[in-house]
Amino acid sequence: MRVAVISDVHGNLPALDAVLDDIARQGVEAVLCLGDHVSGPVDPSGALDRLIGLSATCIAGNHDRWTVDLSVKGSGKIDAFARSTLNETQLAWLAALPATAAYGDEVFLCHGTPADDETPWLDEFYNGRSTTLPGEAEVTEATGSLDYELLLCGHTHVPRSVRLADGRLIVNPGAVGMQLVQGSPDARYAIMERRAGGWHTMLLSVPYDHEEAARLAAGNGFPQWAASLTGGWVGPESLR
Ligand SMILES: [Fe+2]
């Protein structure tokens, strides 16, 4: 089995297009998408149309929840902007997404942790420009009783592949559309392949026209996203 895993597109259509072009060369049987599909200033509606057209296995992230219902605590300006670009069909698609999903009987999908779409799993959340892998007990504890060989998560925008002592693998593919503390504007995703010896992780980095993305963001009233889109060195405080 060989699948592509994408997460945190955040409405960045140029980044998503570049990643999907790369995936088209990879010979995968499916695309799995871990949420935060639209909340961003580049082209939320265009990005969502591309995602809907993929017929991928998709779940919702915290920002998708916040875009569907702007009255929920946590929802902010970027979610309101994304929602303002979406039509009723797109909103209904977002609203129908599950919080978690399974792909076959080996792969589990969640956004944050299996229990919560706002809790980061493989990184403590940002302290300025720093992120840190939590301890083994804490990471293992969050798996609960889930009996899957491969557990996929997003949310932190930091690519990681963690093998637990019992052999289970937890993988965050990084973000397609919003780079934080990566030192690169390139879009991130993962290819996961099940071979005889177990699951292999390939964490990939794809260049795209990030200057165009920053221009679109500025044109939509979010010039503060430029540092993240064109450099990828900054932490989330730069987006405010
Ligand atoms: Fe996100």
Side-chain angles (χ1 to χ4, degrees):
M1 188 192 303
R2 184 174 163 92
V3 297
V5 185
I6 64 176
S7 189
D8 295 275
V9 173
H10 283 280
N12 190 337
L13 180 60
L16 177 61
D17 278 341
V19 163
L20 293 178
D21 283 351
D22 205 70
I23 289 173
R25 296 174 169 82
Q26 296 283 358
V28 298
E29 66 175 52
V31 178
L32 313 180
C33 187
L34 307 178
D36 281 8
H37 307 299
V38 294
S39 290
V42 179
D43 184 355
S45 178
L48 188 53
D49 276 345
R50 281 300 305 265
L51 282 175
I52 292 171
L54 283 180
S55 298
T57 298
C58 295
I59 60 172
N62 53 314
H63 278 283
D64 302 314
R65 238 177 352 94
W66 295 342
T67 299
V68 167
D69 185 352
L70 297 176
S71 70
V72 171
K73 186 169 176 286
S75 185
K77 192 177 152 198
I78 197 64
D79 308 303
F81 169 73
R83 185 186 170 104
S84 75
T85 72
L86 303 181
N87 61 38
E88 288 303 316
T89 305
Q90 291 171 316
L91 273 173
W93 187 89
L94 267 192
L97 291 174
T100 63
Y103 182 76
D105 54 11
E106 292 185 18
V107 186
F108 180 82
L109 292 70
C110 65
H111 184 69
T113 66
D116 189 326
D117 64 13
E118 289 186 67
T119 302
W121 195 352
L122 301 184
D123 279 82
E124 309 283 3
F125 238 141
Y126 301 91
N127 176 18
R129 295 183 60 252
S130 300
T131 63
T132 312
L133 178 68
E136 181 180 4
E138 187 181 333
V139 170
T140 304
E141 165 87 21
T143 64
S145 57
L146 286 171
D147 186 19
Y148 292 86
E149 290 187 5
L150 175 60
L151 302 149
L152 301 172
C153 64
H155 189 48
T156 63
H157 300 207
V158 180
R160 278 195 197 277
S161 181
V162 168
R163 176 85 60 192
L164 299 179
D166 61 16
R168 287 178 298 171
L169 191 63
I170 310 173
V171 173
N172 186 323
V176 169
M178 189 220 291
Q179 303 309 318
L180 300 170
V181 302
Q182 297 306 301
S184 165
D186 294 356
R188 308 297 178 122
Y189 81 102
I191 296 289
M192 300 303 308
E193 184 169 306
R194 179 74 162 88
R195 302 182 195 164
W199 284 97
H200 291 230
T201 309
M202 285 148 277
L203 298 173
L204 300 170
S205 178
V206 179
Y208 74 100
D209 189 351
H210 53 266
E211 298 288 351
E212 170 66 3
R215 270 192 297 277
L216 290 167
N220 285 325
F222 292 86
Q224 67 273 36
W225 279 58
S228 166
L229 290 167
T230 64
W233 292 91
V234 296
E237 75 287 344
S238 72
L239 303 176
R240 295 194 192 104

